[in-house]
Amino acid sequence: MKSLWIGLLLAGSMSFLFTGCGKITSNVNPDISINDYQNYYVIPDEDDTRDVGVAIYSDLQSRGLNVEVGPETRIPESTEIKVAYETKWMWDITFYLYDLVIYLKDPKTDLLMASGQSHRPSLDRKPADEMVREVMDQILGVSTETGK
């Protein structure tokens, strides 16, 4: 009986080692003050059936930014930042957003201005809108504790 408990404890400990914790990272071009830009254009991913693009749009709009959505071929002249994103979904009893990467690019040159990523294994999963918020907070330099 004692060996069964030791085995279960060891298996549980190993599962935590392999699942890891969530990780949020960002890279912002040091020559750019990303907070000076107000006009964003979100390009929806054709394969986005879970409305991550809508979550990005809503998050940017909630920050008081001017946001439009549409295909890359119709970017308005007033756009200062083009927003693209990639998602990776995993299955563990239900589908969950495993990886989210958001790219902020210059709409004229397509050069990367900033990017951010949220990586969430199964035991640390969050809804897509929360992952969007934490990535944008990281990119924009917003403290998640104070919201500023």
Side-chain angles (χ1 to χ4, degrees):
M1 186 67 160
K2 186 177 180 181
S3 62
L4 175 64
W5 283 108
I6 292 172
L8 288 173
L9 182 62
L10 183 59
S13 299
M14 294 301 285
S15 71
F16 281 111
L17 288 175
F18 291 111
T19 57
C21 295
K23 182 177 176 182
I24 305 142
T25 59
S26 68
N27 293 301
V28 179
N29 182 329
D31 299 329
I32 295 172
S33 179
I34 207 78
N35 291 311
D36 290 344
Y37 297 94
Q38 293 295 310
N39 300 309
Y40 288 71
Y41 188 80
V42 178
I43 300 168
D45 183 339
E46 293 175 9
D47 298 327
D48 182 7
T49 60
R50 295 182 177 92
D51 294 332
V52 175
V54 172
I56 293 170
Y57 170 86
S58 297
D59 180 80
L60 292 171
Q61 206 172 39
S62 74
R63 296 170 190 272
L65 301 168
N66 302 319
V67 188
E68 294 185 54
V69 178
E72 190 162 8
T73 57
R74 297 193 181 192
I75 297 176
E77 198 59 40
S78 62
T79 299
E80 297 172 298
I81 294 183
K82 175 174 73 169
V83 182
Y85 60 97
E86 294 178 4
T87 59
K88 182 175 182 181
W89 294 83
M90 298 292 279
W91 172 261
D92 185 3
I93 300 175
T94 63
F95 275 106
Y96 68 96
L97 185 53
Y98 178 72
D99 238 354
L100 170 65
V101 183
I102 299 176
Y103 304 99
L104 305 183
K105 298 180 178 185
D106 183 299
K108 292 172 181 52
T109 64
D110 211 37
L111 290 175
L112 187 63
M113 299 168 75
S115 66
Q117 177 179 18
S118 178
H119 172 78
R120 293 276 172 194
S122 181
L123 292 179
D124 198 25
R125 66 175 80 183
K126 286 189 174 184
D129 59 334
E130 287 185 37
M131 289 175 68
V132 166
R133 183 181 36 77
E134 66 189 8
V135 169
M136 292 310 301
D137 283 352
Q138 185 81 14
I139 290 172
L140 298 173
V142 175
S143 170
T144 54
E145 292 174 11
T146 63
K148 297 182 180 180

